[in-house]
C-alpha cells in the first residue's frame, strides 16, 4: 500500500469518526484489505464482517455501546434486503474508498457533492488545490458556492467572482491566460461564463476574456457619458472597484490604453463638451481632452475662475491625475492669475503705501505667475501650453509688472531719501528684530535665504503655519538700495556705518570692516549687543550636524545666523536662470527642514529673511526691456544689469541717480538705477532674473517670525453626512451629500475619506469613493460634495434590512482605515425594475 493513500484513508476515516461512532467500509474489489490491516485509529475497534452480522450487532449495541467501531466488509455491498446491519448503517456513516469518495471524506463533504466532485476530478487531483479548498469550505456551502470557491482557487484569487475576474484581467494585461486555461481544464469554464452572464450581463455566443474586457470598458464609458450601458450596474460597481484598486493599477492602465484605440475613444471625445467628462476617468485620453479644452478656455477667458478650480478639484479623483498633475496645477494657477488681474488696482500715493499694498495683495500676482510657470515647466508640455503661456506672460509683464513699477517709479523719482516710514528699513533689522528677542533675553536663530522674494516667503509662511505647534507671521522691510547681495547681507548685520567700498568690487563695509564672506560676517555679528554669544554658519553645515552638535550650537549661542543660498545661486547664472522658479520650490522645502532642524535643537524662536528680492520674466527679454538711457559719469566703478556704482553719475529720463546720503549710506559712492523694470545691457550675464534695482519685487524684503508652541494647534476639518429625510434606499442607487463644516486653513487641514455602503456584517455592497475635503471657500454651499452610490448584486441578500453608509479614514500612510462617520439606512427595494440607470 502506498503511504500517501494510507494517510488519506486514515484522514478520511478520522473525519467520519468525528461525526459517527460506527463507520461502515465496503471494499467491493478487495483492494484495500492491506490498508485495513495496517490502519491504526486511536479508540477505534476494527471489525471484519464475514457472516458474523448478528455477533457484530450484539457487540456494538449491547456489549460496547460507547465504543467506536470500523466495520470492514470485503466484497460488494449486499442488497438492502440481505443486509442484516442496514438499520445501523442508515443511522451511521459509510466510508467509500474510490478516489472521489476519498476526496469527499478528506474534505468532510456530504454525499450530495459527489456529482460535483466527479464532474471536476481534475481540480481535486492537485493536492495544493485540495488543501486550499479545505481552508475555505463552509458548512452551509451550496454547489454554486463550492464552484465559486474552486474558481477562485483556479484563478489564484482570494474571494468571490470579482476577485477571479480581477486576477484574470491582470493575466490578460500581461499577455497570459494561465488561470483561464486551468479553469477550462478543471471543467469550470461553463460555470464561469454562466456567472459572468448572471452577474455582469455578459452574453455572447463565443465568450472570451478579451471580448468581456472590451465590453466592460465600452459599457462603463457609455453609461458615464449618458448612453445606455451594455452590462449590468454590477459591472459598473466591479469596474470602479477594480480601477481604484492599488493592486490592479498596472492591469487597468495597460488595458485602458489598448482599448481606447479599439473603441475610438479619441474620436468620440472630439464630439463632446469637456464639461460632460469631468467625472469620467476610464481612459487617459479623457484627461488629455479636458486639459486641451481647459487650456483653450482659460487662455481665451471664456470660463469663470471658480468653475475652473472646481473642475480641476474634481479631476483630482481621476485615475490619471498624478500623470497630469502639473498641467492641471498650471491651468488652475493661470485661472487664479486672471481673476487676480481682473480685480487689481495698481495706484498708490507714496512709497509707504506702495510697500504696504504690495505686502498685502499685489505680491499674490507674482506668486501666481511663478506657480503657473513652474508647473508649466515641470509638465514638459510647452507646445500644449503655448497659447495659455503667451496670454499669461503678456498679461503679467505688460499689464502688471510694467504698469505697477511705472506707477511706483513716480514716487521713487520724487523721493528725496530712500525711506518709507512706518515701513522699517532693512538696515534696522538687527536692532529691531533680533534686538526684540535679546532684550527679553531670548535666544534667536536667523535664516537668511539669498533672493527669497516676499511672495516666496509668504508661501513659506503657509507651509510653516500648517505644521503642528508652529506659529508664524510675516511683515515687510524696505530693502537697501541697490538691492544686491553684498549690501543686503550687510544691512542685516549689526551696523552703524554702512558704506560701499570705493573700488570696483562692490564690497560693503560695516564700521570700516568688509562684510564679504562668512568669517567677516561672524566678526561683525559679534559687535552687536554686549555680552551676546553669536555665530554664523552655512545651511549645509547646519544640516550636516547630528542632534548633539545642533543642540550644542543653540545652547552655546544667543544669536545664530544661518546663510542659505539657492535662488540667487541658480538665478544669477545665465545658463540656469530659467530654473529660478524650481529653485524657489526647493528653497521652501529646504527652509522648512532648517526650521525643523533648529527646533529639534531646542530653538523656539526663529526669523527667516532675505538680502533682496528679484524680478523675473520667463520669456527672453525683448529689446524694449533694455534701458536706452545713456550712462554718464566721471568714474564707473561697477556695472550690473540693474545698477551702476561710481562717482559724478548723472541721472536722466531712464536712470535715477542716488547719492549715498539719499539711500542712507556712508561713503562717497553714487549709484544709477534703471527706472521701472528696465535692464542695462551687460555682456555674458542673464537678463531674465535680475535684481539690484528699485522695483517692489526687488526691495520688499520679508521678515518671517516663527515660534514653536508647546501644545498642538492643528486639526482636520469635520465632515458631515447630509442624508435623505426618510433614510430609505428604494432603488439600485442613492445620492448623498457630504458637507465640510469649516473652510480649510493653515491650522484646519484637509481630510481624505473613503465612502461606501456596507451590510451590518461588514460586506461592501456598493461602489466605493475616495473623497477629498480641502475646500477653502467661506461659502457653505461651496463645501458640499454630492456622491451617487451604485448598489451591487450582493445588496439583494440584505433587502428589508438595515445597511450602513460609512466614511472611513486611512490611518497615516498604511492600508488600514478607521471608521469616521456612519449613517444607517433601511434597504427596501422592489426588484421589478432593479439595476436601472
Amino acid at each position: 500500500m502506498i503511504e500517501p493513500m494510507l494517510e488519506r484513508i486514515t484522514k478520511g476515516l478520522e473525519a467520519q469518526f468525528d461525526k459517527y461512532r460506527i463507520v461502515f467500509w465496503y471494499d467491493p474489489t478487495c483492494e484495500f484489505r492491506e490498508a485495513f490491516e495496517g490502519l491504526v485509529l486511536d479508540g477505534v475497534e476494527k471489525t471484519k464482517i464475514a457472516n458474523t452480522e448478528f455477533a457484530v450487532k450484539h457487540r456494538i449495541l449491547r456489549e460496547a455501546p460507547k465504543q467506536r467501531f470500523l466495520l470492514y466488509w470485503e466484497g460488494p455491498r449486499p442488497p438492502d434486503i440481505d443486509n442484516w446491519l442496514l438499520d445501523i448503517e442508515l443511522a451511521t456513516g459509510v466510508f467509500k474508498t474510490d478516489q472521489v469518495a476519498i476526496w469527499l471524506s478528506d474534505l468532510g463533504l456530504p454525499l450530495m457533492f459527489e456529482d460535483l466532485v466527479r464532474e471536476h476530478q481534475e481540480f481535486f487531483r492537485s493536492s495544493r488545490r485540495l488543501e486550499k479548498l479545505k481552508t475555505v469550505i463552509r458548512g452551509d456551502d451550496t454547489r454554486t458556492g463550492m464552484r465559486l470557491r474552486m474558481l477562485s482557487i483556479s484563478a489564484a484569487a482570494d474571494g468571490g467572482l470579482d476577485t477571479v475576474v480581477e486576477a484574470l484581467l491582470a493575466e490578460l494585461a500581461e499577455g497570459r491566460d494561465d488561470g483561464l486555461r486551468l479553469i477550462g481544464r478543471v471543467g469550470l469554464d461553463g460555470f464561469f461564463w454562466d456567472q459572468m452572464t448572471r452577474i455582469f450581463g455578459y452574453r455572447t455566443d463565443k465568450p472570451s476574456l478579451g471580448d468581456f474586457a472590451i465590453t466592460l470598458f465600452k459599457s462603463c464609458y457609455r453609461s458615464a457619458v449618458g448612453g445606455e450601458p451594455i452590462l449590468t450596474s454590477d459591472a459598473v460597481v466591479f469596474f470602479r472597484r477594480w480601477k481604484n484598486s492599488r493592486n490592479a493599477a498596472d492591469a487597468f492602465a495597460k488595458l485602458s490604453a489598448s482599448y481606447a484605440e479599439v473603441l475610438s475613444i479619441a474620436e468620440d471625445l472630439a464630439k463632446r463638451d469637456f464639461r460632460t467628462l469631468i467625472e469620467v476617468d476610464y481612459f487617459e485620453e479623457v484627461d488629455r481632452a479636458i486639459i486641451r479644452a481647459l487650456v483653450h478656455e482659460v487662455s481665451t477667458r471664456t470660463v469663470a475662475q471658480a468653475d475652473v478650480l472646481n473642475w480641476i478639484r474634481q479631476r483630482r479623483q481621476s485615475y490619471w491625475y498624478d500623470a497630469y498633475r502639473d498641467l492641471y496645477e498650471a491651468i488652475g494657477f493661470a485661472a487664479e492669475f486672471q481673476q487676480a488681474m481682473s480685480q487689481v488696482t495698481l495706484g498708490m500715493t507714496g512709497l509707504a503705501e506702495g510697500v504696504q499694498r504690495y505686502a498685502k495683495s499685489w505680491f499674490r500676482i507674482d506668486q501666481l505667475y511663478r506657480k503657473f510657470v513652474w508647473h508649466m515647466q515641470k509638465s514638459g508640455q510647452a507646445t500644449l501650453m503655448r497659447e495659455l503661456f503667451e496670454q499669461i506672460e503678456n498679461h503679467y509683464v505688460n499689464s502688471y509688472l510694467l504698469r505697477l513699477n511705472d506707477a511706483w517709479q513716480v514716487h521713487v523719482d520724487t523721493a528725496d531719501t530712500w525711506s518709507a516710514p512706518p515701513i522699517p528699513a532693512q538696515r534696522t533689522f538687527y536692532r529691531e528684530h533680533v534686538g526684540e528677542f535679546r532684550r527679553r533675553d531670548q535666544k534667536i536663530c536667523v535664516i537668511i535665504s539669498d533672493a527669497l522674494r516676499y511672495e516666496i516667503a509668504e508661501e513659506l509662511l503657509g507651509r510653516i503655519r500648517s505644521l503642528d505647534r508652529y506659529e508664524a507671521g510675516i511683515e515687510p522691510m524696505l530693502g537697501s538700495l541697490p538691492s544686491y547681495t553684498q549690501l543686503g547681507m550687510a544691512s542685516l548685520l549689526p551696523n552703524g556705518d554702512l558704506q560701499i567700498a570705493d573700488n570696483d568690487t562692490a564690497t560693503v563695509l560695516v564700521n570700516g570692516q568688509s562684510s564679504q564672506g562668512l568669517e567677516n560676517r561672524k566678526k561683525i555679528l559679534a559687535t552687536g549687543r554686549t555680552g551676546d554669544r553669536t555665530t554664523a554658519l552655512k545651511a549645509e553645515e547646519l544640516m550636516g550636524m547630528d542632534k548633539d552638535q545642533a543642540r550644542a550650537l543653540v545652547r552655546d549661542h544667543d544669536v545664530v545666523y544661518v546663510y542659505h543660498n539657492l535662488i540667487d545661486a541658480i538665478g544669477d547664472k545665465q545658463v540656469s536662470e530659467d530654473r529660478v522658479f524650481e529653485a524657489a520650490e526647493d528653497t521652501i522645502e529646504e527652509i522648512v527642514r532648517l526650521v525643523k532642524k533648529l527646533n529639534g535643537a531646542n530653538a523656539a524662536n526663529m526669523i527667516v529673511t532675505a538680502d533682496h528680492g528679484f524680478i523675473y520674466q520667463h520669456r527672453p527679454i525683448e529689446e524694449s526691456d533694455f534701458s536706452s538711457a545713456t550712462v554718464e559719469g566721471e568714474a564707473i566703478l561697477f556695472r550690473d544689469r540693474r545698477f551702476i556704482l561710481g562717482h559724478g553719475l548723472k541721472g536722466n529720463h531712464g536712470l535715477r541717480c542716488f547719492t549715498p546720503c539719499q539711500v542712507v549710506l556712508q561713503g562717497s559712492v553714487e549709484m544709477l538705477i534703471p527706472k521701472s523694470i528696465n535692464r542695462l545691457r551687460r555682456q555674458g550675464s542673464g537678463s531674465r532674473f535680475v535684481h539690484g534695482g528699485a522695483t517692489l519685487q526687488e526691495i520688499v524684503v520679508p521678515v518671517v517670525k516663527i515660534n514653536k508652541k508647546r501644545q498642538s494647534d492643528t486639526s482636520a476639518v469635520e465632515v458631515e453626512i447630509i442624508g435623505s429625510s426618510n433614510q430609505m434606499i428604494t432603488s439600485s442607487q442613492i445620492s448623498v451629500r457630504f458637507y465640510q463644516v469649516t473652510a480649510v486653513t493653515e491650522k484646519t487641514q484637509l481630510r481624505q475619506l473613503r465612502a461606501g455602503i456596507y451590510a451590518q456584517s461588514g460586506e461592501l455592497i456598493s461602489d466605493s469613493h475616495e473623497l477629498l475635503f480641502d475646500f477653502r471657500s467661506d461659502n457653505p454651499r461651496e463645501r458640499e460634495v454630492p456622491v451617487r452610490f451604485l448598489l451591487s448584486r450582493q445588496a439583494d441578500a440584505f433587502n428589508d434590512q438595515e445597511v450602513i453608509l460609512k466614511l472611513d479614514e486611512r490611518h497615516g500612510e498604511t492600508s488600514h482605515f478607521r471608521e469616521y462617520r456612519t449613517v444607517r439606512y433601511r434597504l427596501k427595494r422592489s426588484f421589478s425594475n432593479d439595476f436601472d440607470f
Side-chain angles (χ1 to χ4, degrees), residues 577-594:
E577 65 176 344
D578 65 332
R579 291 169 40 218
V580 69
F581 287 168
E582 176 186 351
E585 296 287 329
D586 292 341
T587 289
I588 292 171
E589 298 298 327
E590 290 184 12
I591 293 178
V592 169
R593 287 198 289 270
L594 287 168

Side-chain angles (χ1 to χ4, degrees), residues 109 113 133 137 141-150:
L109 292 175
F113 287 100
L133 185 60
I137 284 176
D141 272 329
T142 62
R143 286 183 175 84
T144 297
M146 187 65 66
R147 284 192 173 95
L148 279 172
R149 297 185 193 285
M150 293 162 60

Side-chain angles (χ1 to χ4, degrees), residues 260-512:
E261 186 173 347
V262 173
L263 298 172
S264 302
I265 296 300
E267 291 83 346
D268 182 77
L269 291 171
K271 307 168 192 171
R272 299 186 182 277
D273 186 324
F274 75 93
R275 294 166 182 80
T276 65
L277 304 170
I278 295 300
E279 295 182 7
V280 183
D281 68 340
Y282 302 157
F283 299 98
E284 188 173 4
E285 190 59 39
V286 174
D287 282 84
R288 293 175 180 153
I290 290 172
I291 287 167
R292 282 192 293 268
L294 285 176
V295 166
H296 177 70
E297 298 282 352
V298 174
S299 59
T300 55
R301 299 189 231 181
T302 51
V303 285
Q305 175 233 7
D307 289 336
V308 174
L309 297 184
N310 185 49
W311 291 328
I312 290 171
R313 191 186 169 282
Q314 286 179 270
R315 291 311 293 175
R316 289 187 200 175
Q317 306 303 315
S318 166
Y319 177 91
W320 315 98
Y321 179 77
D322 285 344
Y324 295 98
R325 179 188 300 271
D326 288 301
L327 284 171
Y328 281 120
E329 292 277 8
I331 294 166
F333 283 119
E336 288 190 76
F337 172 86
Q338 289 176 343
Q339 179 74 4
M341 283 296 298
S342 70
Q343 297 174 341
V344 72
T345 55
L346 300 176
M348 67 202 85
T349 58
L351 296 181
E353 188 187 1
V355 173
Q356 288 167 339
R357 293 191 69 183
Y358 184 82
K360 183 178 181 180
S361 63
W362 290 337
F363 77 87
R364 178 67 175 155
I365 293 176
D366 290 302
Q367 191 177 74
L368 291 170
Y369 171 74
R370 172 175 61 83
K371 299 297 283 186
F372 164 73
V373 171
W374 158 234
H375 284 289
M376 181 193 70
Q377 285 180 295
K378 202 175 168 195
S379 75
Q381 297 291 333
T383 302
L384 172 66
M385 298 293 284
R386 182 177 291 121
E387 180 184 13
L388 184 55
F389 169 68
E390 292 290 340
Q391 196 272 336
I392 297 295
E393 181 77 8
N394 290 335
H395 212 31
Y396 174 73
V397 175
N398 298 320
S399 303
Y400 168 72
L401 192 61
L402 182 60
R403 280 183 54 216
L404 173 66
N405 285 296
D406 280 352
W408 167 253
Q409 188 66 41
V410 172
H411 302 288
V412 173
D413 286 343
T414 57
D416 292 329
T417 59
W418 185 245
S419 64
I423 308 299
Q426 187 180 28
R427 66 177 298 175
T428 67
F429 171 79
Y430 196 89
R431 182 179 73 242
E432 297 300 325
H433 294 293
V434 176
E436 174 190 343
F437 292 95
R438 294 307 303 135
R439 286 188 286 274
R440 296 197 297 261
D441 203 30
Q442 294 176 330
K443 293 177 182 288
I444 180 66
C445 294
V446 179
I447 300 169
I448 301 169
S449 185
D450 203 326
L452 183 73
R453 191 160 72 169
Y454 189 90
E455 55 90 4
I456 302 171
E458 197 277 340
E459 184 179 348
L460 168 70
L461 173 74
R463 284 290 306 279
I464 297 293
R465 283 181 53 79
S466 70
L467 300 174
D468 192 26
R469 296 191 294 149
Y470 282 87
E471 188 52 76
I474 189 170
E475 54 190 275
M477 295 187 296
L478 182 69
S480 297
L481 207 62
S483 56
Y484 72 111
T485 298
Q486 289 92 324
L487 181 57
M489 291 296 184
S491 299
L492 298 171
L493 294 166
N495 60 77
D497 186 275
L498 196 63
Q499 62 178 292
I500 298 171
D502 194 357
N503 55 41
D504 63 358
T505 64
T507 301
V508 177
L509 308 178
V510 178
N511 300 326

Side-chain angles (χ1 to χ4, degrees), residues 11-134:
K11 285 183 178 179
L13 285 167
E14 286 174 346
Q16 289 287 331
F17 279 112
D18 285 341
K19 301 175 186 177
Y20 307 109
R21 181 174 74 89
I22 301 166
V23 175
F24 284 77
W25 181 2
Y26 294 106
D27 184 7
T29 59
C30 306
E31 60 181 306
F32 292 103
R33 182 189 302 129
E34 186 179 345
F36 173 76
E37 299 294 345
L39 273 174
V40 177
L41 297 168
D42 291 341
V44 175
E45 183 176 314
K46 298 191 300 182
T47 302
K48 180 185 272 189
I49 301 171
N51 298 317
T52 56
E53 288 90 341
F54 288 106
V56 168
K57 181 176 281 194
H58 186 270
R59 170 74 180 147
I60 62 180
L61 295 179
R62 295 293 186 184
E63 294 179 7
K66 294 185 179 181
Q67 173 66 39
R68 292 190 295 171
F69 290 92
L70 173 60
L71 306 181
Y72 176 75
W73 188 298
E74 195 171 52
R77 179 181 179 277
D80 288 350
I81 197 168
D82 297 327
N83 189 350
W84 298 102
L85 296 175
L86 179 62
D87 55 337
I88 296 174
E89 179 188 319
L90 292 173
T92 57
V94 177
F95 178 66
K96 295 184 178 181
T97 48
D98 67 307
Q99 187 61 66
V100 169
I102 291 172
W103 287 329
L104 285 169
S105 180
D106 197 12
L107 293 167
L109 292 175
L111 285 173
M112 63 175 283
F113 287 100
E114 182 176 355
D115 291 345
L116 182 147
V117 174
R118 289 192 187 281
E119 184 181 343
H120 304 292
Q121 290 188 54
E122 184 62 29
F123 176 91
F124 297 94
R125 289 197 175 96
S126 163
S127 58
R128 182 191 62 79
R129 291 195 291 268
L130 202 63
E131 290 303 313
K132 177 66 176 175
L133 185 60
K134 244 189 237 184

Side-chain angles (χ1 to χ4, degrees), residues 652-667:
N652 55 44
H653 70 281
L655 299 166
R656 166 74 204 265
C657 181
F658 287 95
T659 64
C661 182
Q662 286 177 309
V663 293
V664 200
L665 293 176
Q666 285 69 47

